[in-house]
Every structure is written in C-alpha cells, then in structure tokens.
Amino acid sequence: MPRRPLRLATWLRGARRALASGPSRPSAGRPGTSVPARPTPPAPPQLRTDLVPQVRALMKEKDVRGAQSLVDEGLALPEPTTDALLAAGLVAHHRRLYERALAFLDRTDGAAWSKTPIAFTESLFRVDPERGLALTREWLDHPPVTVRARTWHTILRYVFAHGDDALRHAVHERLVESYQGDEERWPGGAAEIAWLERWRTAERHKSAPAPEGRVPFALMDYVQPGKSKTSQNIGDQVQTLASLGHVVRRQNLRFHGPEDMVGFVEDMQARVRPELRLEGDGADVELYRVDRDGSSFQAFPEGTWLLEFGWHSHDLAATGVWDFPMHENLRPIFVSFHCNKRELLTPAALDYLRAHGPVGCRDWTTVDLLLSLDVPAFFSGCLTTTVSTVFPETDVRPEQGTVYVDAVRHPVPAGHENVKQSYRAVKDRTFTENMRAAVDLLEWYRTTYTHVVTKRLHCYLPSRSLGLEVDFQPANYADVRFAGLYPLDHDGFEAIRTGMIARLEPVLSAIFAGHDADAVYDLWRETVAPEVEAARARHTAQHALASLPTLPAALAAPAVVEAKPFDGAVDVVLLPRKEELAHVGEAVRALDAAATGPQRVWVVGTAMHRVRLPRVSGLTQVHKVPAGKIDVGGLGITPRQRAHHALLPHLLPDVDRAVVLPVDAVVLGDVHELAALDLGGHAVAARHTSNADPSGFGLLYRAARRLDDAPETAYDFYRRIHARHVFDFNAFDTDVMVLDLVRLRADGYATEALVAMREFRLDAREALHLYTGPHRAELDAAWDHVPTRDLPDDEAKLVHWADSLKPWDEDYVARRELWYDRAEAHVGAAAS
C-alpha cells in the first residue's frame, strides 16, 4: 500500500534526480547562471485497481497526501475508471471539498449511490440542498438501489436542516423500516434510532396552548437531533443553574409544568441565599425546557421568555446549518452570549439579534464582533459567576485539598484523580437529572476541597463563585472566548457578578409582573444603555502601537536592488521557501518558456547563494534580491514570519506593480494580461482561498492562538481586528497576487506589517490579511488553479501545486507533466 515517503527518502530522490540531470556549467559573463539541464521525465501514471479500499485505508491512517496521490494518478488516465472517480470523491469529501467531491461522484453513473453513499449524500446536500431534497423524494418512491439504514440516517440529518416536516417524517419512517435486518451492518444504529425517537413526529415552530394566567418561561437545555452534537459537558447545565438563580430569587413565584422540573426549581428556590431573596408580588410561572441547538422542533406558547446565554453553538445534526434564530414563539433576553461562527451569523440571525438586543456578551471579543456588524452589544461576563445564588453558606469546612478537573497543561500529581466534567452519561440523562447532577458536583467541590485546578471555563468561574481558590489552566490562554474573563482579579470578578444581578433584576421583575414584550425590551435597553455606550467607545478607541525606527534603518542597503531598464516589461516576483530553493531555476525556466513579452523576474529571499539561475531568452531578465541581511532581528521577528514579503515595496523601490507567483507553479497564460488586471482602487488582487475554511477572521484567530504565553496581547489583537474589519471576510491565497507597490508604499504597509509581526507574531500572510481584510480585487481562479483542490479546468492560466505534494516529488500529483513540459520547452528553445 503506498505510504507517504519519509523526508530523508524524498531528499535522496531529489539528490539522485539532480545528479541524473548532469552538472550545470556557468554561462560566460553571467555569474550565477547556468545552461539549462534537461530534467528527468517522470514516470507516466499507472492504471491502479481497487482504489476505493486503498484510499479508505490511507485516510484512516491520516495519510491524506498518499490518498490524494493515488487519486491523482487514477484521474490522469485518458479515461478515468469509475473506481478512480469514486476514490476521488471520497478524498475530496474527507477534505471537506464538497463541490469537488460531488463533481466526481456525479460522473459515476449512479455508482456513488451504492458504493459511497455517505460521501455522495453529504456532498450533495452541502452543495445543492434543493437538489438533495428533490432526489430524496425520488428515492423514497423509486430507490435506485437497496438503500441501507445508515444512508437514510445521513439523509434524515440533512432533511432536518433543509426539509419540511412531511418529508422528514417520511424519511424517518423509512430509516426505521430499513434498519430491520440491517443491524449487523450498522452496530451503532439502534442507539441512533432510539435517540431520534423523540423527534419522530415533531413539527417546526409549533405553538403550544397558552397557559392561562401564567407567565411561560423556558430553561436552557443542550439536546438536539444530532446525537454527536448534543452536549455531554455538565458545565453547560451549570450555566443553566446560574441562570435559574436569577429567577428563583423571587420567593413568591409559583411554578407549574413537568413534575420533576417543578420539583427541582422549587428546591433551588428554597436554597437561595437569604441576602439575595426577593419577596414582592406573587406570580404563576409555566416552565418549559428549550433546546439551545434545536428549539424550532419544540412547541412553545407565544411569548415564552428565556435567558439566552453561552457559547453558540453546535450546527444542527452536523449539517453545517444552524437552528438560529430560535423558535419564533420565544422571547430571548441575551446575556452572557458568545459566538464567532460566520455560518451562524446569517442576515436573518443578525436581524434577530438587533430586534432582541442589546446583546450582553460573555467576552469582549463577541462584543467587538457584534459591534462591527452594527448589533448593539456590551460586556456582561459569564452567568456562572452568580451560581452562588443557590448555594447558601454551609457548615461543612473542608481541610486543605485540591481537585483537578479536566487538567491538561501539567500532569496530575500522583494520588489525584483527573475529574471529568464532560462524559457520555450527560447525553442520556433527563434535563432534571443533569441539573441535579450539576448541583451535586458543585456541592462536592465546595465541601471537599479548597483549591481547584481546571481547564474548564465552567469549572473555573463557578468554583470561584463558591469561594474556592482556582488555578485556571486552559489548553490555550489566548482562546478567543477568554477576553475579559482571564486574568480576573477579585474586584473584576465581583464587578461581573454584581453587575449581572443588578441588570437582570428589573427586567425579570417586569417579565414576571406580566408586562408586554415592548415594555420589557424598552426596559432592557434603558437598563444596559450606559454599558452599550461604554462598549462602543472602547470598540472604536484608537490605541497606537509602539512605532518602529524609520523604515530605511530597518533595512540593510545591500538588500535593495535597483531595477534595470527594460521597456514594456512586467515585474514578476518569486518568493521561494527554504525547501524550494533547489527548484527556483526550474520555475524561472518555465516562466521564460511561457513569456509572450519582456519580463523582469525578481527572486527575493534568504540564502540566495543556493539559487542557480538558468540561461534565459532575451525576453527575460532575472535578478536575485538577497533578503537575508534585512535587519529585523532587533524587532524580535523570526525567519518563520518571512518579513521580506512585507518589505517588497522597499526591496523593489523602482517597481510600481508586481505579479507575485509561487515557485511550485506553471504559467499557461499571458503574465502581461495578469499584470494589467484592474485592481479597482485596491492595493492587492488575490483569489479567495481554495482551502475548505474560507474565514479571514478564522485565519487571524488562529494566529492569535500562538500568543498562549501573552493572552492579553491576543485579546488586544482580537479587539483591533474587529475594530478594523467587519466580521467576516473571505481569506485569500497569497502565493499568486498582483500588488500595487506604489499604493503599498503610500499606505506605509511595510512599517505596519513589521509592527504587527513584532507585536502579534504574525507571519507575512497574516499581516497582509490584517491590512487588506475584504478590500481587495478578486483574482479569477483560472490564475490560481490548484488541481488537488479545484474542479478540473482545461482553461487554467496558472497551475499551482499548493498542497504538500509537489510536481518534483516522486509520488504522483495531478498535472505534474506540465512542470516537465515547460522545462523541456525551455531546453529545446535554448538548444535552438
């Protein structure tokens, strides 16, 4: 079975190929150039059989590169077999390249439906849900093959997200029927079918009868049709417990509803600390349970109130679709809310947040994110700081002792258990059982221990609320969720706790007094208006970072190269990575072979002495720009950050516009056409990313996570990016770009990028995203075609091997023949 080659083996193969191609000899009068050597042609693609089981095995071993190589070889044949198309669809589906997967699977004349049904179904619904629904209706009446229960289960998940009630019920019935006799093929099927039973006849946005004379109020639960996406973290119930504390402070409320839920709530009412009890007028309250991630499949009376809080959220049944906005009969008060998912924040969701705002946010990053989207928001902190409301003083005083809860950063000392707050039983218990388990857990902490070590936010804050000393050790201190919650001194913690109690008291009193919705939301807006204004002022405040020395002082003069006159030439920049230095000559050959007019090629990077340049035609000039002497060491910028990318406007002071191309690419079009692209007033043209994750903010968030040792710097970075750009924009590929260097120089981009690299440890790509955001020209995908990610394109103008497998590697990669064909063309031209 093909396996990913070892790095040493790859190096040896490259060395053998270099020896086989023969030594280069210097060209007279042109130091650093050589006569082009004829490359060793690659072996042609081989016909391989049984690709589907092979790629399944490789992906199971996480060797996606090996699986992709096998698939590419199968697709390179003049007539790819059905087996190759199926395997290609499987690999693309595994990589979440759903459009590519569907394109291959659709070419199998229906074989995908029987051979790779899960990959086909998921790709279909991710790309074209309407077609998925239409085919589902056909399959119910006239199935093309025997459809297994597991496939119907996958279809049902997506019908939950996209279909109507009648279709969902029909698919559900077919799932149950098809499982009879199919148990051995799907051992976990019985548990999945049993899980879905509660939604078997559920209807979306159904109204429940109004409880006459009672205020309908819902408590948050974390169940949904997708069992894998249902929470198993008891910390979620701790949040609900804290929210309940603000309700049961009112000692004269009378509760109605499911017997077990009423009994639990009355028990909590009796536990409220004496100093926090409110007497006031009595009221009758009808209790409901609301599923955070699937509320639209429940039934509520019109005007059911709830406190809306916590991390949002899991997608519905793992379909990439969120059940948000919530059920239309709910009236949420948003407090202690967190979100950072672009797919959740649809236009409808933003209108929903605006209509029910202002939104109290658990962390400052969510505040800044929502403010960037014109959603009124403020920092409320976490509800769990108030969980002590239902934990009165106790006479039990534990001796000195430490409990470790989901500890991860350091080994748990011998003799101590690593307690888990996330475990499977949480999924299977009832709401009330989980709520009582949450109370018991916190009681155990406070009556048995004095200290807690934990990575869990909903152990850290509630334990502090109960008076324990807590050492918070999350997996990453720079996590986007923690701004405002860590570090947190005594005064900061008390400010969150007392603020939460103060702002919720009047609005909940109005709700239980029976005030109408307009009056309650007006009161909410009035209560939190000063906090919203303070948040807006903070969001827009300008905080200058420490400036750099003047830019020329940051550069060593030898790095700057003057352009030689070359009438009508376009300027092409290559920025080789260390592992690409040996292949720069081949890339220059390919550029020269493709030249349709004069071009200056600038090879910019470190270790330029290792780059051997070939002899080129009269259409091409080649210049090395050594960037190894750029004096940024005093700024703390490392080679990994590739500062010379950001310094291009100053390394090439006489160049006005540059086309940036990767070494691992072949140009098939006219570079002059690319250089003439209309930038629409922007400084950058680039293609939206060809990776599965399109989020520009996601890219910057990942950069911030490297600041684990400097979390407050990360939190400042989060604030700055949301103040600068509206959430969200598409990430873009920076290997192929057109740059207006005049504009970049005028904007002071190089200095700004160096500051970002110094302060926030960004690399060159991240710094360019911070500067550009959504403000760029979109480059046609034909100019940055990635054959291992994109759909096949015979009209591509540039083929870019952006994944780890390169055309010069021994293992096959799609369209690698182009790399050698261009080199051959150059050799032939030079010989003539």
Side-chain angles (χ1 to χ4, degrees):
M1 183 178 296
R3 300 294 303 272
R4 180 181 299 185
L6 298 174
R7 291 182 179 178
L8 177 60
T10 302
W11 181 87
L12 288 172
R13 286 196 296 268
R16 286 196 297 270
R17 183 177 293 136
L19 290 172
S21 65
S24 60
R25 52 187 178 84
S27 174
R30 296 195 49 201
T33 64
S34 62
V35 173
R38 186 177 299 275
T40 303
Q46 302 296 310
L47 174 63
R48 300 182 185 275
T49 58
D50 298 323
L51 285 178
V52 169
Q54 290 183 66
V55 300
R56 287 190 196 276
L58 287 168
M59 290 188 296
K60 185 176 181 179
E61 295 177 5
K62 300 184 179 180
D63 185 6
V64 180
R65 170 178 157 149
Q68 185 68 61
S69 179
L70 277 181
V71 160
D72 287 346
E73 196 162 8
L75 294 175
L77 298 172
E79 292 294 334
T81 64
T82 297
D83 181 48
L85 294 171
L86 291 168
L90 279 175
V91 174
H93 171 262
H94 180 85
R95 298 181 65 189
R96 296 186 295 132
L97 301 171
Y98 297 114
E99 187 176 358
R100 176 181 168 92
L102 184 61
F104 287 125
L105 296 175
D106 266 341
R107 292 169 57 188
T108 64
D109 294 327
W113 184 226
S114 58
K115 302 292 187 182
T116 57
I118 305 300
F120 177 65
T121 301
E122 289 202 331
S123 300
L124 173 63
F125 274 98
R126 294 276 182 161
V127 174
D128 190 349
E130 288 303 316
R131 180 185 165 210
L133 294 174
L135 286 178
T136 297
R137 293 184 177 95
E138 290 182 19
W139 295 334
L140 282 168
D141 295 333
H142 306 288
V145 295
T146 300
V147 183
R148 301 294 179 186
R150 192 164 189 174
T151 304
W152 281 120
H153 180 261
T154 301
I155 294 171
L156 178 59
R157 289 194 292 108
Y158 283 93
V159 174
F160 262 103
H162 297 287
D164 57 36
D165 291 333
L167 180 61
R168 178 164 46 81
H169 297 329
V171 174
H172 201 150
E173 292 297 326
R174 187 62 57 85
L175 164 64
V176 175
E177 292 171 8
S178 64
Y179 188 63
Q180 306 302 317
D182 202 28
E183 294 87 350
E184 291 186 5
R185 288 178 175 269
W186 187 22
E192 291 291 345
I193 291 173
W195 178 265
L196 285 166
E197 191 62 29
R198 73 189 80 180
W199 288 277
R200 191 165 183 173
T201 59
E203 297 177 9
R204 269 198 144 159
H205 295 284
K206 186 176 180 181
S207 292
E212 188 173 350
R214 299 173 184 173
V215 177
F217 195 90
L219 299 177
M220 190 78 78
D221 200 4
Y222 306 91
V223 180
Q224 62 143 297
K227 186 176 183 182
S228 68
K229 290 291 186 174
T230 291
S231 174
Q232 63 178 29
N233 182 1
I234 198 66
D236 284 330
Q237 278 73 26
V238 171
Q239 289 184 94
T240 300
L241 179 64
S243 75
L244 178 61
H246 294 272
V247 175
V248 297
R249 292 178 62 200
R250 293 154 180 80
Q251 296 294 290
N252 289 331
L253 292 183
R254 298 174 295 276
F255 296 100
H256 309 270
E259 183 177 351
D260 60 337
M261 185 185 296
V262 170
F264 172 74
V265 170
E266 289 177 342
D267 288 347
M268 295 304 103
Q269 189 178 39
R271 287 171 58 100
V272 173
R273 288 173 172 263
E275 68 273 18
L276 292 177
R277 294 181 178 185
L278 299 173
E279 297 302 331
D281 296 332
D284 289 284
V285 179
E286 188 76 19
L287 294 173
Y288 298 86
R289 185 190 62 83
V290 58
D291 293 332
R292 179 192 64 186
D293 303 340
S295 65
S296 67
F297 296 96
Q298 298 174 273
F300 301 100
E302 290 186 21
T304 298
W305 292 97
L306 80 153
L307 293 179
E308 243 281 47
F309 52 82
W311 177 85
H312 275 64
S313 59
H314 288 302
D315 53 333
L316 183 61
T319 58
V321 176
W322 274 258
D323 191 43
F324 192 83
M326 303 187 77
H327 193 291
E328 59 193 23
N329 286 353
L330 294 172
R331 292 176 179 168
I333 301 294
F334 283 95
V335 66
S336 196
F337 180 75
H338 170 85
C339 66
N340 61 48
K341 297 181 182 298
R342 64 185 287 170
E343 298 89 349
L344 181 145
L345 293 170
T346 62
L350 294 176
D351 288 343
Y352 183 73
L353 291 170
R354 295 184 188 110
H356 296 91
V359 178
C361 301
R362 195 173 70 185
D363 55 278
W364 275 111
T365 305
T366 303
V367 175
D368 290 317
L369 184 156
L370 293 179
L371 289 176
S372 81
L373 291 164
D374 196 31
V375 175
F378 64 95
F379 175 70
S380 66
C382 188
L383 267 170
T384 60
T385 58
T386 65
V387 77
S388 57
T389 300
V390 292
F391 286 85
E393 292 294 338
T394 176
D395 294 332
V396 179
R397 300 296 177 190
E399 299 180 2
Q400 189 79 7
T402 301
V403 60
Y404 293 82
V405 182
D406 288 307
V408 293
R409 293 182 78 92
H410 305 289
V412 175
H416 290 268
E417 180 186 0
N418 191 15
V419 176
K420 303 295 184 183
Q421 279 198 181
S422 182
Y423 50 93
R424 179 58 62 93
V426 174
K427 291 179 184 282
D428 299 321
R429 292 193 299 234
T430 67
F431 171 76
T432 302
E433 288 170 342
N434 274 328
M435 293 303 297
R436 292 196 181 278
V439 174
D440 292 343
L441 180 67
L442 296 183
E443 281 287 11
W444 180 60
Y445 289 162
R446 74 165 181 157
T447 59
T448 310
Y449 302 100
T450 57
H451 291 74
V452 177
V453 179
T454 185
K455 76 169 185 179
R456 295 283 182 187
L457 186 67
H458 294 134
C459 177
Y460 155 54
L461 294 174
S463 295
R464 283 192 67 172
S465 181
L466 299 179
L468 286 83
E469 296 291 328
V470 183
D471 182 4
F472 184 45
Q473 296 184 1
N476 192 307
Y477 285 109
D479 193 297
V480 71
R481 298 172 297 157
F482 298 155
L485 300 177
Y486 177 86
L488 199 56
D489 62 18
H490 176 270
D491 290 344
F493 185 90
E494 286 303 317
I496 293 175
R497 174 156 57 180
T498 58
M500 191 73 71
I501 292 171
R503 76 174 64 88
L504 288 179
E505 192 280 324
V507 72
L508 287 174
S509 294
I511 287 171
F512 295 122
H515 293 188
D516 63 34
D518 289 342
V520 170
Y521 283 113
D522 284 346
L523 177 60
W524 176 245
R525 285 187 283 270
E526 178 184 345
T527 300
V528 302
E531 296 182 275
V532 174
E533 290 308 308
R536 283 178 173 145
R538 176 190 174 278
H539 176 70
T540 58
Q542 299 294 320
H543 299 287
L545 295 170
S547 61
L548 289 176
T550 57
L551 189 58
L555 304 178
V560 179
V561 176
E562 237 180 273
K564 295 179 181 179
F566 199 13
D567 290 342
V570 297
D571 290 286
V572 177
V573 176
L574 299 179
L575 296 160
R577 295 175 173 83
K578 182 179 179 181
E579 62 273 16
E580 296 173 334
L581 291 173
H583 303 283
V584 170
E586 297 164 74
V588 171
R589 289 173 184 147
L591 279 170
D592 191 40
T596 61
Q599 58 185 3
R600 291 183 297 199
V601 179
W602 305 89
V603 184
V604 183
T606 59
M608 284 294 99
H609 63 283
R610 293 172 53 189
V611 173
R612 302 298 299 273
L613 297 177
R615 179 183 295 166
V616 292
S617 71
L619 289 176
T620 305
Q621 289 182 1
V622 188
H623 305 280
K624 293 182 184 179
V625 184
K629 295 183 179 180
I630 296 176
D631 182 19
V632 294
L635 301 175
I637 296 174
T638 66
R640 181 198 66 80
Q641 294 170 276
R642 295 167 66 81
H644 56 282
H645 288 225
L647 290 166
L648 277 180
H650 295 273
L651 292 171
L652 305 176
D654 300 323
V655 176
D656 292 343
R657 177 178 284 216
V659 175
V660 176
L661 298 180
V663 171
D664 53 350
V666 164
V667 176
L668 304 175
D670 186 349
V671 173
H672 285 252
E673 175 192 333
L674 178 58
L677 180 72
D678 182 3
L679 298 185
H682 300 301
V684 177
R687 180 199 169 173
H688 65 274
T689 184
S690 54
N691 276 324
D693 183 359
S695 172
F697 272 85
L699 181 144
L700 294 173
Y701 285 172
R702 289 190 292 275
R705 286 179 63 84
R706 293 197 295 268
L707 296 165
D708 177 40
D709 62 334
E712 291 182 275
T713 301
Y715 307 152
D716 180 46
F717 180 63
Y718 293 135
R719 185 193 67 79
R720 290 174 185 273
I721 61 177
H722 288 98
R724 180 161 187 163
H725 301 302
V726 173
F727 185 89
D728 191 3
F729 63 90
N730 285 334
F732 53 92
D733 293 334
T734 56
D735 289 322
V736 181
M737 295 187 293
V738 181
L739 300 179
D740 182 345
L741 299 185
V742 175
R743 169 72 180 276
L744 291 172
R745 282 189 281 268
D747 286 353
Y749 167 67
T751 301
E752 176 185 314
L754 288 179
V755 171
M757 290 178 174
R758 179 194 65 192
E759 296 294 322
F760 306 119
R761 305 178 199 167
L762 305 186
D763 64 24
R765 182 181 185 221
E766 294 154 355
L768 189 60
H769 275 75
L770 177 62
Y771 162 79
T772 303
H775 308 296
R776 62 178 172 86
E778 181 66 32
L779 191 65
D780 192 304
W783 277 109
D784 191 4
H785 174 70
V786 182
T788 52
R789 302 178 190 172
D790 296 326
L791 299 178
D793 183 6
D794 293 333
E795 305 299 319
K797 300 178 181 180
L798 181 144
V799 175
H800 176 203
W801 291 276
D803 289 327
S804 62
L805 196 59
K806 303 301 180 184
W808 51 77
D809 289 335
E810 184 173 288
D811 290 342
Y812 189 84
V813 65
R815 305 195 73 176
R816 75 172 179 184
E817 295 83 5
L818 291 172
W819 178 265
Y820 294 94
D821 289 347
R822 285 291 168 169
E824 286 283 347
H826 183 273
V827 170
S832 63

